[in-house]
């Protein structure tokens, strides 16, 4: 059975909360593009270290690969568990 994208948007992605989160993620990406941290097509994501897309403080953002940023479980209780390298 194919996905019903209209229903998904109506029930989840179209809610005001999700729209605000998406706008904040886009803002962070656009600021990083303007600053030169990331480039279009470089396969990098802007990672919000605390997992909150509304927190666009400079200290909370970093550019990492898409595979690393999207590797953790997407549940409300899981949180972000990215392995950090020891220095």
């Amino acid at each position: 059975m194919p996905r019903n994208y209209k229903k998904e948007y109506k029930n989840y992605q179209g809610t005001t909360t999700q729209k605000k989160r998406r706008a904040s993620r886009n803002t962070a990406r656009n600021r990083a593009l303007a600053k030169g941290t990331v480039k279009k097509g470089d396969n990098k994501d802007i990672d919000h270290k605390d997992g909150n897309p509304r927190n666009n403080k400079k200290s909370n953002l970093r550019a990492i690969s898409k595979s690393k940023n999207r590797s953790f479980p997407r549940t409300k209780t899981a949180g972000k568990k990215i392995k950090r390298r020891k220095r």
Side-chain angles (χ1 to χ4, degrees):
M1 176 180 228
R3 284 174 68 176
N4 187 343
Y5 290 102
K6 286 184 180 179
K7 184 178 177 184
E8 283 183 30
Y9 184 81
K10 181 182 166 194
N11 292 332
Y12 181 70
Q13 297 164 357
T15 62
T16 55
T17 305
Q18 289 306 314
K19 285 181 180 180
K20 287 178 182 179
R21 286 181 177 180
R22 183 169 55 247
S24 292
R25 287 191 300 267
N26 288 338
T27 300
R29 176 74 185 186
N30 289 336
R31 286 180 183 169
L33 277 169
K35 199 166 66 169
T37 307
V38 295
K39 295 178 183 167
K40 192 171 184 177
D42 65 355
N43 290 325
K44 298 262 182 181
D45 270 353
I46 299 302
D47 176 39
H48 292 81
K49 294 177 187 177
D50 65 359
N52 179 6
R54 305 286 309 276
N55 181 1
N56 283 333
K57 290 182 182 177
K58 196 176 189 181
S59 61
N60 188 43
L61 301 175
R62 64 181 172 178
I64 62 173
S65 69
K66 283 185 180 183
S67 60
K68 273 193 178 179
N69 195 38
R70 300 173 186 197
S71 65
F72 62 92
R74 297 285 194 247
T75 62
K76 289 182 180 181
T77 58
K80 283 202 168 189
K81 295 176 183 170
I82 296 176
K83 292 181 182 176
R84 309 210 192 282
R85 285 190 273 163
K86 292 182 181 178
R87 294 179 188 188

